Amino acid sequence: MIWNETKECMSRENRRILQGERLHKIVDYAYHNVPFYRNKLQQMDIKPDDIRSIDDIVKLPFTTKQDIRDNYPFGLMAAPQSEIIRIHASSGTTGNPTIVGYTRKDIGIWSGCMARCLSAYGITRGDIFSVAYGYGLFTGGLGVHYGVEALGASVLPASTGSTEKHIRLLRDLGVTGIACTPSYALHLAETMGKLGITKDDIKLRVGVFGAEPWTENMRKEIEEKLGIKAYNLYGLSEIMGPCVSYECEEQNGSHVNEDHFFPEIISPDTLEPLPYGESGELVFTTLTKEGMPLLRYRTRDLCTLYDEPCSCGRTSVKMGRLLGRSDDMLIIRGINVFPSQVESVILSMPECAPHYLLVVDRENNLDKLTVQVEMRQEFFASGFDTFEPIIRLEKEIAAKLKSVLSISAKVEVKQPGTLARSEGKSKFVIDNRKIQ
């Protein structure tokens, strides 16, 4: 399953036949093993035999994260507990955590799909690969770890924390690949600079990044600072974990492992399916998952799907970069604001480092957006620590933000190293309106 030309390069017609067969099978399986889905389908007067092709997927109900929480902990499991060999869970910062169970077959599919991703990035059995995602309940660490082992490369289970020790191991072991969040990659590069270690002192050549949105500007920043080629990896625990989609050497959209995860784009307002090329909310149906199959799961991620052929030879649908989330989207004075929009402005400014924070407050019943951004050390050391240039820079950033966001924002330029760093998912937004 590592480089599976039969599945990755099969014709669209044959793939849709395979998807239809698997969709019928998974609907029948969920109907007979998950009371939640049986009740939903009965309420809609739908029987498994009504689902005969992949086109029939529009007849099925949507599933939401709230449905998973409402059925906490094991209400959506289709396999008996004796066959569940792995359990992962979200942090559960609001309400019940989302619990996900995997059978041995699920783990095998997950590992194989992840190995398929790594192969597309150019990782081989001869590589040493560091997994710097968090291990434990979060699917990132173990998901990539099992994929590296399935591929046959050497895995370094670095996890997060002990950044200086990690850097020494990267250098001393000759590590050639790494997986982590893009913000942690920048943190690594920053710490390397403090230790006097350059990109020429390490052998990294491939970086695999996901778990948080990132832009093309951030990609260029990471590639330059670490001397690597940086690839996108997408996944979510509810569907499987990291491995749902992956970039190839073209770095132009992420191929979806469509033989296991069927993607749709819907309007978040009308819930109607949208054609390829239009932006909307990403929806996935698991086609082969035994432990906890999900039908039309609303990810809340906003993006676009493309079905144009790729020069790499793979024929699967590709995801564009995430534009934000339909539920995490900020509405400020009636305007939709995504952190990625702010990041694109910040990274277009040579004086700004890729570290920022959006703070939203409400004063006198009016929303107020403050954008805190760090200055790069080389500019700060070149005289930008005087008062007047900083004010000028803040005004310039504020003007660019207003042209992009259509609202005004207060900009605060901070000294290098001021904003908090994270070794996991970075927190880019503090919305104080939610706690008032």
Side-chain angles (χ1 to χ4, degrees):
M1 193 184 288
I2 296 169
W3 161 241
N4 193 330
E5 188 172 357
T6 302
K7 292 295 190 296
E8 294 184 79
C9 301
M10 71 191 309
S11 69
R12 296 295 303 163
E13 181 181 355
N14 287 340
R15 180 177 286 114
R16 290 185 70 81
I17 292 172
L18 175 66
Q19 290 168 335
E21 293 170 348
R22 289 183 168 179
L23 179 63
H24 170 74
K25 185 176 180 179
I26 205 69
V27 170
D28 184 73
Y29 177 70
Y31 184 90
H32 289 99
N33 292 281
V34 185
F36 169 80
Y37 280 126
R38 183 163 57 251
N39 293 336
K40 278 258 189 181
L41 293 171
Q42 287 176 345
Q43 290 170 10
M44 300 171 71
D45 196 25
I46 295 174
K47 296 180 177 61
D49 284 345
D50 296 327
I51 309 300
R52 287 299 179 182
S53 74
I54 196 63
D55 294 327
D56 292 328
I57 198 167
V58 296
K59 300 176 182 178
L60 298 174
F62 291 105
T63 309
T64 66
K65 185 179 286 269
Q66 191 59 49
D67 291 328
I68 300 176
R69 287 177 172 154
D70 289 345
N71 286 276
Y72 175 88
F74 299 125
L76 291 186
M77 299 294 178
Q81 189 62 49
S82 60
E83 294 182 13
I84 299 293
I85 68 166
R86 174 92 65 80
I87 296 173
H88 283 282
S90 71
S91 58
T93 52
T94 57
N96 289 327
T98 54
I99 302 294
V100 185
Y102 302 79
T103 64
R104 191 170 301 280
K105 180 182 175 183
D106 292 336
I107 296 297
I109 290 173
W110 187 3
S111 302
C113 285
M114 188 62 234
R116 187 188 289 182
C117 302
L118 293 165
S119 180
Y121 305 140
I123 299 298
T124 69
R125 292 173 59 88
D127 283 296
I128 301 175
F129 196 93
S130 176
V131 180
Y133 284 124
Y135 282 64
L137 294 177
F138 173 58
T139 56
L142 286 171
V144 178
H145 181 117
Y146 272 59
V148 177
E149 289 188 341
L151 182 66
S154 301
V155 61
L156 176 68
S159 192
T160 56
S162 303
T163 301
E164 292 187 9
K165 180 180 181 181
H166 188 186
I167 291 170
R168 287 194 294 271
L169 289 173
L170 294 179
R171 180 193 61 192
D172 298 345
L173 299 180
V175 174
T176 49
I178 188 171
C180 60
T181 61
S183 56
Y184 184 59
L186 290 171
H187 178 59
L188 275 174
E190 193 174 64
T191 306
M192 283 170 55
K194 293 176 181 177
L195 296 174
I197 297 174
T198 71
K199 61 184 178 182
D200 295 327
D201 296 322
I202 60 176
K203 294 183 179 179
L204 278 181
R205 61 181 181 81
V206 173
V208 179
F209 307 112
E212 62 187 22
W214 56 306
T215 62
E216 283 299 318
N217 283 332
M218 188 175 279
R219 189 207 295 268
K220 293 174 184 175
E221 179 99 8
I222 293 170
E223 290 185 333
E224 171 59 28
K225 286 183 176 294
L226 292 178
I228 63 174
K229 198 161 184 181
Y231 294 95
N232 190 54
L233 173 66
Y234 175 82
L236 60 166
S237 60
E238 295 90 340
I239 297 303
M240 184 64 86
C243 82
V244 174
S245 72
Y246 58 96
E247 283 186 316
C248 63
E249 63 266 24
E250 297 300 318
Q251 293 179 300
N252 183 28
S254 297
H255 293 275
V256 178
N257 278 313
E258 281 191 275
D259 47 329
H260 297 286
F261 320 110
F262 184 76
E264 299 175 84
I265 291 291
I266 65 168
S267 164
D269 299 319
T270 67
L271 306 187
E272 291 298 317
L274 297 175
Y276 292 128
E278 289 196 24
S279 300
E281 183 180 332
L282 184 62
V283 171
F284 276 109
T285 296
T286 61
L287 297 178
T288 56
K289 199 173 181 186
E290 290 183 334
M292 198 178 89
L294 291 181
L295 306 179
R296 305 191 81 190
Y297 179 72
R298 295 184 60 185
T299 69
R300 300 290 184 173
D301 286 329
L302 300 175
C303 74
T304 305
L305 294 177
Y306 303 94
D307 67 340
E308 292 88 355
C310 183
S311 57
C312 75
R314 294 174 179 86
T315 56
S316 51
V317 162
K318 290 198 292 189
M319 291 170 48
R321 279 195 174 272
L322 298 185
L323 304 172
R325 287 180 58 83
S326 60
D327 54 351
D328 289 348
M329 177 180 67
L330 291 168
I331 301 178
I332 303 174
R333 299 196 291 276
I335 302 296
N336 297 340
V337 175
F338 294 102
S340 58
Q341 294 174 296
V342 176
E343 181 179 279
S344 66
V345 170
I346 289 171
L347 293 183
S348 72
M349 307 285 290
E351 303 91 343
C352 296
H355 302 291
Y356 65 96
L357 180 68
L358 280 64
V359 182
V360 187
D361 293 288
R362 182 161 290 158
E363 296 180 1
N364 299 322
N365 295 318
L366 292 175
D367 292 340
K368 175 185 176 183
L369 172 63
T370 302
V371 177
Q372 299 177 0
V373 57
E374 276 188 19
M375 182 179 288
R376 291 186 184 276
Q377 183 64 53
E378 60 265 34
F379 286 95
F380 190 83
S382 302
F384 274 78
D385 53 340
T386 57
F387 192 62
E388 185 177 342
I390 287 182
I391 292 179
R392 193 160 53 240
L393 179 60
E394 288 174 342
K395 289 182 177 179
E396 184 179 356
I397 297 171
K400 287 192 174 185
L401 285 173
K402 186 171 184 179
S403 68
V404 171
L405 304 178
S406 300
I407 62 169
S408 299
K410 179 183 178 182
V411 176
E412 296 176 355
V413 173
K414 303 290 186 180
Q415 295 183 20
T418 302
L419 296 179
R421 302 296 194 261
S422 171
E423 294 184 347
K425 287 191 181 183
S426 289
K427 187 169 185 177
F428 298 114
V429 177
I430 296 177
D431 191 343
N432 294 319
R433 298 172 300 177
K434 297 178 181 177
I435 59 176
Q436 292 178 344

